[in-house]
Amino acid sequence: MNDKQVKDLLERFQAGACSDQELEKVRYWLHKFREDEQSGLSQIDLETIDDQMWQTILKATQPKTARIISWPIRVAVSAASIIILGIFIYLFTKDSSNKTFANDIDAGKNTAVLILSDGKRINLLNAKNGLLALQSTTQITKTEEGEIIYTSRHELPSLQNGGKSSYSESNTILTPRGGQYKLSLPDGTKVWLNAASSLTYPVSFSWLKERRIELSGEAYFEVAKDSLHPFLVQSKTQTVKVLGTRFNISAYSDDQFTNTTLFEGSILVNQVTLKPGQQAVNLGTEIKVNVLDSDDDIAWKEGGFSFRNEPLQNIMKKISRWYNVDVVYQNKEAGKQVFGGTISKYEKISQVLHMLELTGDVKFKVEGKTITVL
C-alpha cells in the first residue's frame, strides 16, 4: 500500500466504515510501523492522525489482554520492540494537544535535608552555596550546581564522648517524595540519591578499615577506587561489597524486591558476584541474577522515566515518589497491565499520565495530590 491508500484506510476507520478485513489491514500497518520505520505509515503526515483517532485505533486493534503478560514472558520480550514502542509513542504525542486534568502537578526538584552527627538539620534547597559545616577532619560545602561535597581539613580528629574519636560519627541525608540530590562522600565516591531515600555515612573514612554506609530507598553510586578499604552498602536485605565501580541499588521498604544493577566493575551482593550488565533481584530468601540489555534502571538519574514491560503498579510507585502524590485504584486489575515507554521526568504529571493512557486501557483522575486509576 502507498501513502494515499494508508491515509484512505485510516480515514475509513475513523468514519466507522471499515470492514473486518480492512480492520485487519489497520492492525497490519500498525504492526508494520513498529517493525519497520520505512513502512508506508511512517511516511505519511502524522499530524493527520489526531489524538482521539489514535486512541480509538489502539483500543480497536489491540486485544484487551495484550498487556497483561506473565513474568517469564516479559523477560523474553526483545529490547528492540520496546525501543520501537517508545519511538511510536513519541511520534504520536509530540504534536498532539496537551491533555490536562482538573489540577496539574509539577515534577520533583533537587532538594534534601542534611542531618549532622550533632542533630543539626540543614535544608539543602534553601541553604546558600559555599561552606555549610565543619566536622572534625571534614568540611562540607554546597556547590553552585547544588551538589554536597565533603573534603578533608587535614587535621587529626579530636577526642570526645568519653574518648571516642569524632571521625566515627555519621551524617544522614534525606530526600523527600518529590526530591533528589547528589553528593560526594568523604572518600570521593559520588552518589545520586533518588526520591524518598536516605543515606547514612561516616563524617570521615580516615582510619577506618572499611567504608560502610547505609541506604534506604534508591541510589546510584560511582565508587572511588581504594583496594585497601572495601566499600560496603548496607540495605534492608543485603550488603553490597565493592572496591571501585558503578552500580544502582533500589531498596525501598514498600517494594517486594531489592534490585542491584551493575554497570562497571565487580561487586558482591550477599556473596553473589555480579558482572557488568547483570542485575541481582533479592527476594529476601534468595537472589536471582538477570542479564540486562539497557540502562533503564538509571533513567531516573539521567532525567527520565523509562518503562520496559513493567506493571502499572510499579510505575505508579515511581510516579508517586517523584511527584509526591498518593495513588488509589478504582480498577485494581489495571495495576497488572504492562507498559513500555520513555518520557522526561521533568514534565508535569499530566504529560506522564497521558502517555500511559495512550499505551493501554487505563485512565486517570487527579484530585489534589491524589491520582485515581480508573
Side-chain angles (χ1 to χ4, degrees):
M1 296 178 68
N2 58 36
D3 290 358
K4 183 178 184 306
Q5 289 173 317
V6 174
K7 282 185 179 181
D8 291 343
L9 180 61
L10 290 173
E11 288 173 359
R12 288 199 301 278
F13 176 86
Q14 189 178 30
C18 271
S19 66
D20 290 343
Q21 185 177 8
E22 290 176 327
L23 187 60
E24 285 298 322
K25 289 184 179 180
V26 172
R27 184 180 293 111
Y28 169 82
W29 281 102
L30 290 178
H31 174 76
K32 185 72 173 174
F33 178 86
R34 293 178 180 177
E35 296 299 326
D36 181 8
E37 64 181 6
Q38 298 303 317
S39 67
L41 184 57
S42 67
Q43 302 300 312
I44 70 172
D45 180 7
L46 296 177
E47 292 184 357
T48 63
I49 306 177
D50 63 24
D51 187 51
Q52 183 178 1
M53 179 180 178
W54 172 234
Q55 292 188 57
T56 305
I57 292 172
L58 278 177
K59 182 173 294 187
T61 61
Q62 186 169 343
K64 296 294 184 181
T65 58
R67 296 190 177 275
I68 305 176
I69 307 173
S70 64
W71 170 248
I73 297 176
R74 292 205 306 271
V75 172
V77 175
S78 68
S81 64
I82 302 302
I83 293 173
I84 292 170
L85 176 58
I87 297 171
F88 196 57
I89 295 167
Y90 168 74
L91 287 173
F92 279 96
T93 59
K94 66 187 182 77
D95 292 324
S96 63
S97 58
N98 294 334
K99 176 175 180 177
T100 59
F101 296 87
N103 65 294
D104 214 339
I105 299 171
D106 290 330
K109 62 186 73 174
N110 291 327
T111 181
V113 173
L114 177 63
I115 305 175
L116 304 181
S117 55
D118 61 3
K120 180 180 178 181
R121 301 172 70 93
I122 301 175
N123 185 326
L124 298 178
L125 178 64
N126 300 326
K128 294 182 178 180
N129 299 335
L131 183 64
L132 294 180
L134 297 174
Q135 294 181 290
S136 61
T137 65
T138 304
Q139 67 180 23
I140 309 171
T141 56
K142 178 183 176 183
T143 68
E144 293 182 358
E145 293 74 27
E147 178 183 352
I148 296 301
I149 296 179
Y150 284 74
T151 54
S152 173
R153 298 173 61 196
H154 303 294
E155 297 177 6
L156 293 175
S158 60
L159 296 180
Q160 50 184 286
N161 301 327
K164 183 180 179 181
S165 56
S166 59
Y167 67 78
S168 64
E169 296 175 343
S170 297
N171 289 352
T172 297
I173 184 169
L174 304 169
T175 54
R177 293 203 306 173
Q180 63 180 15
Y181 219 83
K182 180 184 176 183
L183 68 153
S184 292
L185 297 177
D187 66 335
T189 291
K190 296 184 181 298
V191 183
W192 287 256
L193 201 61
N194 206 351
S197 303
S198 69
L199 194 72
T200 299
Y201 48 91
V203 171
S204 172
F205 288 117
S206 301
W207 303 284
L208 297 177
K209 293 182 179 180
E210 60 186 23
R211 299 171 288 169
R212 182 181 290 271
I213 65 175
E214 297 180 11
L215 169 69
S216 175
E218 184 169 21
Y220 171 82
F221 297 87
E222 292 184 356
V223 178
K225 294 183 178 180
D226 183 351
S227 59
L228 298 179
H229 301 89
F231 191 92
L232 304 173
V233 183
Q234 181 72 49
S235 57
K236 63 178 182 178
T237 57
Q238 66 185 33
T239 299
V240 174
K241 181 178 181 180
V242 309
L243 296 178
T245 187
R246 298 189 301 115
F247 60 99
N248 190 83
I249 299 176
S250 181
Y252 286 103
S253 59
D254 59 345
D255 280 347
Q256 186 176 0
F257 309 131
T258 296
N259 294 328
T260 305
T261 308
L262 180 63
F263 300 96
E264 180 182 300
S266 179
I267 61 178
L268 288 176
V269 182
N270 287 1
Q271 304 307 310
V272 175
T273 301
L274 284 190
K275 297 179 180 180
Q278 292 183 331
Q279 180 186 71
V281 180
N282 193 329
L283 309 176
T285 57
E286 62 175 326
I287 294 177
K288 294 183 178 180
V289 177
N290 298 325
V291 177
L292 303 179
D293 55 10
S294 74
D295 290 346
D296 285 353
D297 279 10
I298 55 170
W300 67 269
K301 169 184 170 290
E302 304 300 331
F305 289 113
S306 185
F307 310 126
R308 180 180 297 260
N309 287 320
E310 195 165 351
L312 180 64
Q313 58 190 2
N314 292 356
I315 294 172
M316 295 310 295
K317 280 186 179 181
K318 297 177 182 179
I319 291 174
S320 172
R321 292 167 186 149
W322 180 236
Y323 287 93
N324 188 21
V325 295
D326 296 319
V327 179
V328 296
Y329 290 85
Q330 179 176 311
N331 177 9
K332 294 183 179 180
E333 289 300 311
K336 300 177 183 178
Q337 293 191 58
V338 178
F339 293 83
T342 300
I343 192 170
S344 169
K345 72 175 189 177
Y346 294 107
E347 299 284 356
K348 288 183 178 292
I349 201 169
S350 61
Q351 296 301 302
V352 180
L353 298 181
H354 185 39
M355 182 194 78
L356 293 172
E357 288 185 337
L358 286 175
T359 60
D361 294 327
V362 63
K363 299 293 180 182
F364 302 95
K365 180 172 65 175
V366 181
E367 296 178 312
K369 299 287 284 186
T370 300
I371 300 174
T372 301
V373 182
L374 305 175

